[in-house]
Amino acid sequence: MTSLKAFLVTAVATTLSMSALTAQARDFRLGLITPPAHLWTQAAESFAEELNERSEGQHSVSIFPSQQLGNEAQMVQQLQAGSLDMAFLTIAEISNRLPDFGALYAPYLVENVDQAAALLRSDTATGMLDQLPSLAGLVGIGYGMAGMRQVLSRTPIETAQDLRGKKIRITPFDPIRDFYLAADSAPTPLPLPAVYDALANGQVDAIDMDFDSILILKFHEQADNLLISNHMMFPMVGVVSARVWRELSAEDRELVEATMSSHLDGVITAFQQQDAEQEAELRGMGINIVEADDAFFRGVIEAWESVWAAEAPSLAVLRETAARLNSQ
Ligand code: BEZ
């Protein structure tokens, strides 16, 4: 081969392999509603970093926290259209589209963050994600969570009767709405970024929230009564647009799945590790604390079950799984 010919062959081969690389290289966009300081956003950032490293710089992920791309309903539409690649979403938004996921919010399905972690890691819970591609246009990679729900209020809540008529901020989704309706309170749906001002200006009397958000978003500055109820877990799911997923090579799917799922699971572990410490921190703040268990909410739970047993067929098997795991 002449040296000119050899040069041309090498140049063409290099161009071909570079264009193959370029065709596969992606700058994914990942949206979420939590602020930069939240564990979910930090997990998204570390997922982005690791994906970039493991793909040897080929793939990158730009993170859009704090609802920069819209609320979760809008992000799901973008994921379905393929204009957004990935998101970390509350299961709340998923349950608005697929009521079966409402089962994960059954009151006292689990009693604490460790039981919640075990249930979310079970085959029963992860198997529910198989519904997402065909029914929602999303590929569910795995669960994260935001601990357990509590009630922070401006005036004390000593009994379930004290919830009556109170305007209680809820994340906008039906299972939590039905829980507070059954308690004869006035559930007021507000996204996370709107909660601080609503509590400060008296738009709501109380908020349904987790220890972590109460502390990092400083809600305790505006309300100093805490009902430690652990009444529900609060799962999150990491998703990829099904349209985008179809465009990825098998190798890239495997890489995205393995990398994202380990960071999602890391969120669960982090919530397990910090739960007792955060509870102690809140108890040490001079806040008025009342503790509640399922007996506190007895009639409320029965009313909730009477609606959701039919809406969410997975409820029965989730309860069985939770009971089995909790007895181990
Ligand atoms: C909430 O709506 O309360 C919430 C959403 C995401 C993370 C934590 C809390």
Side-chain angles (χ1 to χ4, degrees):
M1 197 184 291
T2 65
S3 59
L4 177 62
K5 228 173 168 185
F7 168 76
L8 286 175
V9 168
T10 313
V12 168
T14 308
T15 311
L16 279 177
S17 71
M18 274 179 65
S19 64
L21 200 67
T22 315
Q24 286 168 13
R26 311 270 313 217
D27 180 24
F28 296 110
R29 298 161 81 241
L30 187 154
L32 68 174
I33 62 167
T34 49
H38 195 273
L39 271 173
W40 293 6
T41 313
Q42 289 171 8
E45 297 283 3
S46 42
F47 156 66
E49 210 172 294
E50 193 182 335
L51 190 74
N52 185 256
E53 274 166 22
R54 289 178 67 175
S55 66
E56 294 174 349
Q58 203 181 347
H59 300 314
S60 55
V61 187
S62 303
I63 308 298
F64 297 87
S66 309
Q67 297 202 155
Q68 279 174 34
L69 302 178
N71 61 27
E72 289 195 330
Q74 290 163 330
M75 282 195 272
V76 170
Q77 281 172 359
Q78 294 163 28
L79 288 158
Q80 289 170 336
S83 56
L84 176 62
D85 303 299
M86 301 168 175
F88 287 180
L89 299 170
T90 63
I91 285 293
E93 180 54 30
I94 301 293
S95 74
N96 286 338
R97 287 155 196 274
L98 304 179
D100 192 36
F101 280 84
L104 293 167
Y105 293 106
Y108 295 100
L109 176 62
V110 292
E111 287 172 13
N112 56 48
V113 75
D114 292 328
Q115 291 182 5
L119 187 59
L120 290 174
R121 288 172 174 144
S122 70
D123 290 346
T124 309
T126 54
M128 289 173 71
L129 298 176
D130 294 346
Q131 304 175 65
L132 290 181
S134 61
L135 299 179
L138 306 171
V139 175
I141 301 293
Y143 291 106
M145 72 153 141
M148 303 294 292
R149 303 309 278 185
Q150 324 293 347
V151 186
L152 184 74
S153 57
R154 291 154 67 95
T155 56
I157 296 170
E158 312 274 356
T159 67
Q161 282 67 38
D162 293 331
L163 292 166
R164 287 196 179 143
K166 285 224 163 54
K167 280 180 281 170
I168 302 188
R169 174 274 165 175
I170 57 162
T171 310
F173 69 108
D174 295 349
I176 191 84
R177 178 205 60 197
D178 289 349
F179 178 77
Y180 284 108
L181 282 177
D184 288 332
S185 60
T188 308
L190 285 173
L192 190 61
V195 175
Y196 189 92
D197 288 349
L199 198 56
N201 66 26
Q203 187 190 342
V204 293
D205 304 308
I207 62 172
D208 182 277
M209 196 53 67
D210 59 274
F211 290 149
D212 182 67
S213 302
I214 292 171
L215 286 166
I216 61 172
L217 300 174
K218 301 194 187 306
F219 296 135
H220 54 82
E221 291 175 351
Q222 299 300 332
D224 56 4
N225 298 278
L226 180 62
L227 183 70
I228 300 186
S229 50
N230 288 331
H231 54 274
M232 281 177 193
M233 60 178 182
F234 201 75
M236 169 267 261
V237 61
V239 296
V240 178
S241 154
R243 278 182 183 236
V244 171
W245 192 250
R246 283 196 290 272
E247 292 166 6
L248 300 182
S249 65
E251 196 188 334
D252 281 345
R253 286 182 190 177
E254 211 172 293
L255 183 63
V256 168
E257 186 163 10
T259 313
M260 190 189 279
S261 63
S262 79
H263 288 276
L264 291 166
D265 196 69
V267 171
I268 296 182
T269 305
F271 271 93
Q272 285 180 273
Q273 286 170 344
Q274 69 184 21
D275 189 72
E277 208 174 291
Q278 290 189 326
E279 180 176 337
E281 189 176 345
L282 283 160
R283 283 181 185 272
M285 279 179 174
I287 289 175
N288 172 39
I289 305 273
V290 174
E291 288 175 22
D293 58 12
D294 55 345
F296 185 100
F297 290 105
R298 190 160 289 129
V300 175
I301 297 171
E302 280 156 16
W304 190 93
E305 293 270 350
S306 70
V307 176
W308 283 91
E311 290 278 330
S314 293
L315 182 56
V317 64
L318 271 175
R319 280 221 184 272
E320 274 168 34
T321 307
R324 180 173 46 76
L325 290 170
N326 300 347
S327 68
Q328 279 170 7

